[in-house]
């Protein structure tokens, strides 16, 4: 396989991973919207925080290190050794699953059984479902190593669809048993996932002995496998995996082990978090992908800035400044209109279950967090495209420190402010990341004759800002006169909102020509790729 083929496969892997993440977000969005109206907020908190954390922790810790080791070091080991080491997933999953299940049942604060039934049994079923998925790991890794790229997204997508369908149908029919429904839906989905993987390869190998030889553990080679370098590599990745899980699931871990919020508050927070993250995924992520590709083409990460072509440095500077200004503009629009229309969005999405002061406060706080996400995504595009390997290692260490600060601030802020404290901690963490990227970018351009993108004005046009300010003021006045969500008030507020949004959009089109040109060029590129 040539280098260009390897690069193409890598791009496909990343693209499929992004698609899966978006599918998962959409699935969560749809399921929450459907079941919010039939279950209590306490039950939603147990499912979306407590049991989801149990599932993700067992799954990630049990299999991630094996996956990374087997895939990253595949050229150094034969498949016979690799498949034996992969099967070690099973005992590891049993041990990790039993450990976490015991903690969830005997150590953590449990919900009132009269309000939430089936918690203990769900805490046992979830580890079993992970174990069932782990059995499919030899087939999964074989598929990844042999470029069965579409297979993963099809199987995982179908498994997600099956789980969501079962959740919606059964929860609607048996709302009092929603926790058990979640656990059994996950188990059925896991069984489907494993069966489909092996069924596909059974057909692929025409049911011959090759199928068994490929995926069964090699008992006669077991001792050599256990003493191979691959096991050492798995152990190295395992330590990183535990740390990564702590940082990735920091919010849920704080909620679960320190109980700063009630189960009802946890449920509301998680719904708001999923709801507000969807626009960021669909709007900001494509722009970030394009930005990273552009910067990678302009900047050679193995050369210092002073050795780069000046024209490329100028182009990268201009593109980054335009993208930052664009994200600040988009984020400001989200803050203005998202803040004022949060109550309507919550009512449409979750009905009366989300019609509360705390839900409205969380949604409005998330609007400011989305602005920071937009800025950080673009700033880190340039950072990771321009950094060499040494600089990336140093930057990652800084990110780990920021993540621990985030965990600490989460604990402190939730004690002070309740559930909005999680968003404040996220904002603090995101601000720190933007600051680190800005420092790197300034230093990168310091040894050149080109200005740093952060030295150029990133503030949107004055008329755009005035249109946003006017929109916020007038929509706020209308909200005073039409405070509730009765039908007439609802329509009136929406009409006023659309009117002012049109004014902001028209002002943007007229006064931000460079940003509009950038958007149109990216749209044409994506359209040409599809054709």
């Amino acid at each position: 396989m040539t280098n260009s083929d390897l690069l193409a496969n890598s791009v496909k892997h990343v693209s499929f991973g992004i698609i899966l993440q978006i599918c998962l977000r959409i699935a969560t969005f749809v399921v929450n919207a459907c079941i919010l109206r039939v279950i209590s907020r306490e039950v939603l908190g147990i499912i979306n925080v407590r049991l989801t954390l149990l599932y993700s922790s067992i799954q990630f810790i049990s299999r991630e290190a094996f996956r990374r080791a087997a895939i990253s070091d595949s050229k150094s080991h034969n498949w016979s050794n690799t498949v034996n080491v992969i099967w070690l997933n099973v005992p590891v999953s049993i041990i990790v699953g039993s450990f976490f299940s015991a903690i969830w049942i005997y150590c953590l604060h449990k919900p009132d059984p009269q309000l939430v039934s089936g918690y203990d049994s769900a805490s046992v079923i979830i580890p079993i479902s992970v174990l069932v998925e782990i059995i499919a790991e030899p087939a999964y890794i074989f598929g990844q190593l042999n470029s069965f790229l579409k297979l993963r997204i099809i199987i995982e997508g179908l498994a997600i669809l099956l789980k969501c369908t079962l959740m919606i149908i059964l929860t609607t029919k048996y709302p009092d048993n929603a926790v058990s429904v979640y656990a059994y839906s996950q188990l059925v989905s896991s069984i489907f996932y494993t069966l489909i993987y092996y069924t596909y390869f059974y057909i692929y190998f025409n049911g011959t002995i090759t199928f068994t030889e490929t995926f069964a553990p090699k008992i006669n080679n077991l001792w050599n496998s256990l003493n191979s370098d691959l096991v050492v590599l798995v152990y190295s990745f395992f330590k990183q995996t535990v740390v990564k899980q702590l940082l990735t699931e920091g919010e849920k871990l704080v909620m679960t082990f320190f109980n700063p919020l009630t189960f009802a508050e946890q449920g509301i927070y998680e719904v708001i978090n999923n709801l507000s993250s969807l626009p960021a995924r669909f709007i900001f992520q494509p722009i970030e992908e394009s930005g990273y590709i552009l910067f990678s083409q302009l900047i050679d990460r193995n050369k210092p800035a002073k050795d780069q072509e000046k024209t490329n440095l100028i182009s990268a500077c201009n593109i980054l400044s335009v993208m930052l200004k664009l994200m600040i503009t988009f984020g400001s629009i989200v803050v203005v209109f998202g803040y004022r229309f949060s109550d309507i969005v919550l009512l449409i999405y979750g009905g009366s279950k989300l019609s509360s002061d705390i839900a409205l406060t969380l949604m409005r706080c998330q609007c400011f967090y989305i602005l920071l996400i937009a800025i950080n995504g673009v700033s880190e595009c340039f950072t990771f495209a321009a950094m060499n390997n040494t600089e990336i290692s140093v930057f990652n260490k800084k990110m780990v420190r920021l993540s621990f600060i985030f965990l600490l601030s989460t604990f402190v802020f939730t004690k002070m402010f309740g559930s909005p404290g999680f968003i404040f901690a996220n904002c603090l963490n995101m601000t720190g990341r933007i600051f680190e990227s800005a420092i790197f970018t300034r230093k990168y351009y310091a040894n050149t004759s080109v200005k740093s993108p952060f030295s150029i004005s990133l503030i949107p046009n004055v008329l755009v800002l005035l249109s946003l300010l006017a929109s916020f003021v007038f929509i706020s006045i209308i909200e005073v006169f039409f405070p509730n969500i009765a039908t007439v008030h609802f329509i009136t507020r929406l009409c006023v909102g659309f009117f002012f949004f049109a004014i902001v959009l028209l002002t943007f089109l007229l006064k931000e020509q460079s940003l509009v040109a950038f958007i149109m060029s990216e749209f044409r590129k994506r359209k040409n790729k599809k054709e």
Side-chain angles (χ1 to χ4, degrees), residues 175-282:
D176 294 335
N177 297 312
V179 171
S180 297
V181 166
Y182 169 79
Y184 283 109
S185 297
Q186 182 60 64
L187 180 59
V188 171
S189 173
S190 299
I191 294 171
F192 172 84
Y193 169 87
T194 300
L195 285 177
I196 293 297
Y197 250 117
Y198 282 116
T199 301
Y200 176 87
F201 282 113
Y202 182 82
I203 296 171
Y204 177 80
F205 287 115
N206 295 319
T208 61
I209 192 66
T210 307
F211 171 79
T212 305
E213 291 176 345
T214 302
F215 299 115
K218 312 300 184 290
I219 304 300
N220 58 341
N221 198 35
L222 185 59
W223 181 251
N224 290 334
S225 301
L226 295 177
N227 286 277
S228 67
D229 294 336
L230 188 58
V231 175
V232 177
L233 187 61
V234 168
Y235 179 67
S236 299
F237 279 131
F238 185 82
K239 291 184 289 185
Q240 295 178 17
T241 297
V242 174
V243 174
K244 185 177 179 181
Q245 180 66 7
L246 288 172
L247 300 178
T248 303
E249 299 285 10
E251 290 178 350
K252 290 180 181 177
L253 286 166
V254 171
M255 288 184 194
T256 298
F257 286 92
F258 297 103
N259 301 312
L261 308 178
T262 64
F263 290 120
E265 290 172 332
Q266 290 179 26
I268 292 174
Y269 175 82
E270 196 60 23
V271 168
I272 300 297
N273 189 40
N274 285 321
L275 178 61
S276 59
S277 67
L278 266 184
R281 290 278 178 182
F282 284 110

